[in-house]
């Protein structure tokens, strides 16, 4: 077994590999860019080596710097995690030439599966079901149209070297095919340096189901059940679960056996994933093979009890798999939510800055797991992707796993940056998700105009009002008991309250007790039982006998409550104070229509217009780069640029003015 391994990655996956290596008694080496000098994975590792500036191409993607770090520290093997160099066959071969073990498949396997055209041919030869299509190189748009007509619309145009949703278009007619072919080829050339594309039949209402495989150097190959990854936004996975609510035992066995057949065809040795697209009639077709550890691997670990990172290390060290296929069981159900630093109410734009507060829910051995690479007070950089944590829950069945996830999301405290937790919480209440009626277009169909605050509506305003009123009573009660008050001026704590939750006032009468209170509302009686103490951010209670957990903060005269992904600013007033407040004038917000504001923090790469220039609606004004994404800002209406307020190369904050218009 290895004595020391280097992790050629960062963030939560680097921390994840370090955790397993430590339990195996293996020393670890972290590598880091200048932006990650104080990162969590650097702190957790036994040793750490700086490898360059923040841009990935100058640090985490620089194979020679990684190899130099191995030589410097004496690391015998490299675990690549996912992303970066994890599926780079040249890097794998380069390590081998240096006598360093790559903890993953051999270079030949990576190379064979990295080309989508070649991998589809290999799959067909191995007897794996593939989507009808044309896998030869397509010369031009006219040929693409002829091929699409032969297959039958709709078709999918895909880059051979593509991934992550790049170089992919769906066409429903000749015009869309012609345009899509040109766009797909240009995008593939820019993103991958390879403009080859192919065409295949587009499966309507597809499910994305993948099979986890494990292979060793001794010819043993196993499949570890499946993962349902159909909840996607712009071809990016959002929620994953294991097993799938759609598969039966016969279909699972057939998919597993085909996945193993493909892995054997390329002599696969490590953990890998064979991805399938599944139609509503339960026909399944090979999509691609990911020759690395997947982001969503924890759900497989939760239901099988296996540590995939441990087995990757053992296989790389030459050990045989100590399991048979019939020994791979399935224990309950697991769900994973990706927690990203992005604003779901602003088109999922990235959110960067300092984590003023980062307190994930407590982990439990069999119910809640949190994989993260950040810590309280950490800085979320503009240089890398937006994933800050993976939240995984487990239950005896799907219903219990979902319930655990809803509770865990309620307990996940993040302040300082915006996250997609409200979106994840809304999906956990989505009727189709709860029924298991999934396909990759569910998010688009559920939120056709994007995700807005109106989509995040709290299911029980009375609960929020009761908590706010009780907390208000506690604060006033505490103040009334503080020593040093003037005699005869002790503060009386009232029992009737008007709680403003959103637009509607809720009238309550409280009967406080030792642990909570009883509430009267519209003739009905409710109970709130809690041990909450002033200052605690988590408000745990039983409301009408049901356990609840809310996040509670005092914000001046108001109380901010976060629950079920909804943030509510509540005001608690006596009936008389509520009457007077209704008479107060409302201050109008400032008119910002004459400004171009930055929608996110990031690097202002370009200002495309000049002072005095006339611009038309839709014209490009500026480009901002954040978290490996370029965001183009366009004019919403015709206007004249009056003043440039920020310059290219400048770091801008959210809502910072860039241009002023006349």
């Amino acid at each position: 077994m290895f004595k020391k391994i280097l992790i050629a990655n960062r963030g939560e996956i680097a921390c994840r590999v370090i955790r397993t290596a430590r339990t195996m008694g293996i020393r670890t080496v972290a590598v880091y860019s200048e932006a990650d000098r104080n990162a969590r994975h650097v702190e957790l590792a036994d040793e750490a080596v700086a490898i360059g500036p923040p841009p990935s191409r100058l640090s985490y993607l620089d194979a020679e710097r990684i190899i130099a770090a191995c030589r410097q520290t004496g690391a015998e093997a490299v675990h690549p995690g996912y992303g970066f160099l994890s599926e780079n066959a040249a890097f794998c071969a380069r390590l081998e030439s240096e006598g360093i073990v790559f903890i993953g498949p051999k270079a030949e396997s990576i190379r064979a599966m990295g080309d989508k055209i070649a991998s589809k041919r290999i799959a067909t030869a191995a007897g794996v079901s593939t989507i009808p299509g044309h896998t030869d190189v397509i010369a031009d748009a006219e040929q693409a149209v002829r091929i699409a007509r032969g297959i039958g619309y709709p078709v999918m145009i895909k880059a051979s070297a593509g991934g992550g949703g790049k170089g992919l278009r769906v066409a429903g007619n000749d015009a869309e095919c012609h345009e899509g072919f040109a766009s797909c080829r240009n995008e593939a050339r820019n993103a991958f340096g390879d403009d080859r594309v192919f065409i295949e039949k587009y499966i309507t209402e597809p499910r994305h189901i993948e099979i986890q495989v494990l292979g060793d150097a001794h010819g043993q190959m196993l499949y570890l059940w499946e993962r349902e990854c159909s909840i996607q936004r712009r071809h990016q996975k959002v929620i994953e679960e294991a097993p799938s609510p759609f598969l039966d035992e016969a279909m699972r066995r057939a998919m597993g056996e085909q996945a193993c057949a493909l892995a054997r065809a390329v002599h696969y040795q490590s953990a890998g994933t064979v991805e399938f697209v599944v139609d509503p009639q339960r026909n399944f077709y090979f999509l691609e093979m990911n020759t690395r550890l997947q982001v969503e691997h924890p759900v497989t670990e939760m239901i099988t009890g296996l540590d995939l990172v441990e087995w990757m290390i053992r296989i790389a060290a030459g050990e045989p798999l100590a399991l048979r296929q019939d020994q791979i069981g399935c224990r309950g159900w697991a769900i994973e939510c990706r927690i990203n630093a992005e604003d779901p109410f602003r088109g999922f734009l990235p959110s960067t800055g300092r984590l003023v507060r980062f307190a994930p829910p407590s982990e439990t051995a069999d119910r809640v797991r949190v994989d993260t690479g950040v810590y309280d007070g950490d800085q979320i950089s503009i240089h890398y992707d937006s994933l800050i944590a993976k939240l995984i829950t487990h239950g005896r069945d799907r219903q219990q796993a979902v319930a655990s996830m809803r509770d865990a999301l309620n307990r996940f405290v993040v302040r300082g940056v915006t996250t997609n937790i409200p979106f994840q919480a809304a999906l956990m209440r989505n009727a189709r998700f709860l029924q298991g009626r999934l396909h990759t277009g569910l998010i688009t169909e559920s939120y056709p105009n994007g995700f807005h605050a109106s989509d995040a509506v709290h299911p029980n305003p009375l609960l929020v009002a009761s908590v706010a009123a009780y907390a208000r009573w506690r604060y006033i009660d505490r103040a009334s008991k503080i020593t040093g008050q003037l005699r005869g001026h002790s503060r009386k704590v009232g029992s009737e309250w008007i709680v403003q939750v959103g637009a509607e006032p809720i009238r309550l009468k409280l009967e406080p007790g030792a642990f909570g209170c009883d509430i009267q509302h519209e003739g009905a009686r409710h109970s709130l039982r809690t041990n909450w103490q002033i200052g605690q951010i988590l408000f745990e209670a039983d409301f009408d006998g049901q356990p609840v957990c809310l996040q509670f903060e005092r914000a001046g005269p108001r109380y901010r409550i976060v629950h079920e992904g909804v943030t509510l600013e509540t005001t608690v007033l006596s009936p008389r104070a509520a009457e007077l407040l209704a008479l107060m004038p409302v201050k109008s917000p400032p008119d910002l229509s004459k400004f171009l504001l930055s929608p996110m923090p990031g690097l202002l790469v370009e200002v495309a217009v000049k002072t005095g220039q006339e611009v038309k609606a839709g014209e490009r004004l500026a480009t901002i780069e954040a978290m490996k994404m370029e965001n183009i800002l366009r004019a919403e209406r015709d206007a004249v640029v009056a003043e440039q307020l920020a310059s290219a190369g400048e770091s801008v904050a959210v809502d910072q003015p860039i241009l002023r218009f006349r």
Side-chain angles (χ1 to χ4, degrees), residues 32-34 50-63 65-66 384:
Y32 63 92
S33 71
E34 292 171 8
I51 55 169
S56 299
R57 69 183 185 280
L58 302 176
S59 50
Y60 296 107
L61 285 171
D62 191 324
R65 290 176 185 261
I66 301 292
Y384 309 112

Side-chain angles (χ1 to χ4, degrees), residues 188-506:
R189 185 188 302 113
N190 294 333
F192 313 111
D194 182 347
D195 67 356
R196 293 175 302 146
V197 301
F198 65 101
I199 296 178
E200 61 187 19
K201 181 69 177 175
Y202 178 69
I203 307 301
T204 57
E205 296 191 357
R207 284 178 178 257
H208 185 125
I209 298 176
E210 57 192 31
I211 304 293
Q212 176 72 60
V213 296
L214 265 183
D216 63 20
H218 307 276
Q220 174 83 328
M221 189 69 63
L222 303 171
Y223 66 88
L224 311 182
W225 291 70
E226 78 280 352
R227 295 187 289 259
E228 174 88 53
C229 305
S230 298
I231 305 299
Q232 301 180 10
R233 191 185 71 83
R234 296 182 181 174
H235 308 293
Q236 298 287 327
K237 298 168 186 174
V238 176
I239 295 172
E240 302 98 350
E241 59 183 302
S244 165
F246 191 61
L247 268 59
D248 55 30
E249 193 56 43
M251 188 176 178
R252 177 176 294 116
R253 186 181 303 109
M255 293 178 72
E257 289 173 354
Q258 288 197 19
C260 287
L262 177 62
R264 288 192 189 95
V266 294
H267 310 291
Y268 199 83
Q269 300 174 30
S270 192
T273 302
V274 180
E275 302 195 352
F276 293 93
V277 61
V278 182
D279 69 18
Q281 290 73 45
R282 296 181 182 272
N283 300 304
F284 61 89
Y285 307 97
F286 169 69
L287 188 63
E288 64 182 349
M289 184 175 188
N290 288 303
T291 53
R292 55 171 168 80
L293 192 67
Q294 292 278 85
V295 176
E296 58 271 20
H297 75 274
V299 294
T300 296
E301 294 182 326
M302 293 288 268
I303 66 166
T304 63
L306 300 175
D307 185 325
L308 294 181
V309 173
E310 178 182 349
W311 276 112
M312 290 181 75
I313 295 172
R314 293 191 180 282
I315 290 167
E319 293 187 15
L321 285 167
L323 297 164
R324 300 189 312 270
Q325 188 63 59
D326 59 7
Q327 293 177 309
I328 309 299
C330 179
R331 184 182 64 89
W333 212 284
I335 295 177
E336 174 180 292
C337 284
R338 301 188 186 194
I339 308 302
N340 296 329
E342 58 190 20
D343 190 340
F345 301 118
R346 302 181 72 162
F348 294 89
L349 291 172
S351 176
T352 61
R354 186 162 300 282
L355 285 167
V356 176
R357 184 77 181 271
F358 184 79
S362 300
E363 293 189 273
T364 57
D366 61 347
R367 183 169 167 266
V368 178
R369 169 175 164 177
V370 181
D371 286 12
T372 185
V374 301
Y375 54 85
D376 196 42
D378 203 355
Q379 187 78 22
I380 304 303
S381 167
I382 66 172
H383 298 290
Y384 309 112
D385 64 51
S386 63
L387 181 68
I388 59 174
K390 298 183 314 199
L391 179 60
I392 309 100
T393 58
H394 182 267
R396 63 177 175 271
D397 53 28
R398 190 171 189 266
Q399 183 178 3
Q400 189 181 68
V402 171
S404 294
M405 179 60 73
R406 290 178 64 175
D407 180 66
L409 289 169
N410 285 333
R411 296 173 182 273
F412 208 129
V413 179
V414 183
R415 301 291 184 270
V417 301
T418 306
T419 74
N420 65 336
I421 287 177
F423 184 59
Q424 296 283 19
L427 289 173
M428 285 296 121
R429 300 196 305 271
N430 182 280
R432 285 170 54 187
F433 174 77
L434 294 175
Q435 294 163 10
R437 296 190 296 111
L438 316 177
H439 64 77
T440 57
L442 183 145
I443 287 177
T444 301
E445 293 177 3
S446 298
Y447 309 104
N449 300 313
F451 188 71
H452 304 287
S454 58
D455 296 312
V457 178
H458 196 276
N460 190 355
L462 178 61
L463 165 64
V464 175
S466 299
V467 168
Y470 174 69
R472 174 69 172 160
W473 180 88
R474 287 286 302 274
Y475 276 110
I476 296 176
D477 181 62
R478 183 184 67 169
S480 69
K481 296 175 181 177
I482 294 175
T483 58
Q485 297 188 66
L486 293 174
R487 185 175 301 175
H489 289 271
S490 60
R491 197 168 182 179
K492 183 179 179 181
V493 185
S495 61
E496 293 192 15
W497 301 99
I498 305 294
V499 185
Q500 196 79 28
V501 181
E504 294 298 322
I506 299 176

Side-chain angles (χ1 to χ4, degrees), residues 562-589:
V562 182
H563 187 239
E564 297 289 352
V566 183
T567 299
L568 294 162
E569 301 281 352
T570 64
T571 305
V572 185
L573 301 168
S574 67
R576 178 56 179 160
E579 290 177 14
L580 296 174
L581 181 63
L583 302 175
M584 297 293 290
V586 178
K587 184 178 180 180
S588 299

Side-chain angles (χ1 to χ4, degrees), residues 147-170:
I147 292 168
R149 287 175 179 172
I151 296 171
Y153 289 110
V155 298
M156 184 174 286
I157 308 166
K158 302 172 71 174
S160 179
K166 294 185 177 68
L168 186 153
R169 296 291 188 277
V170 176

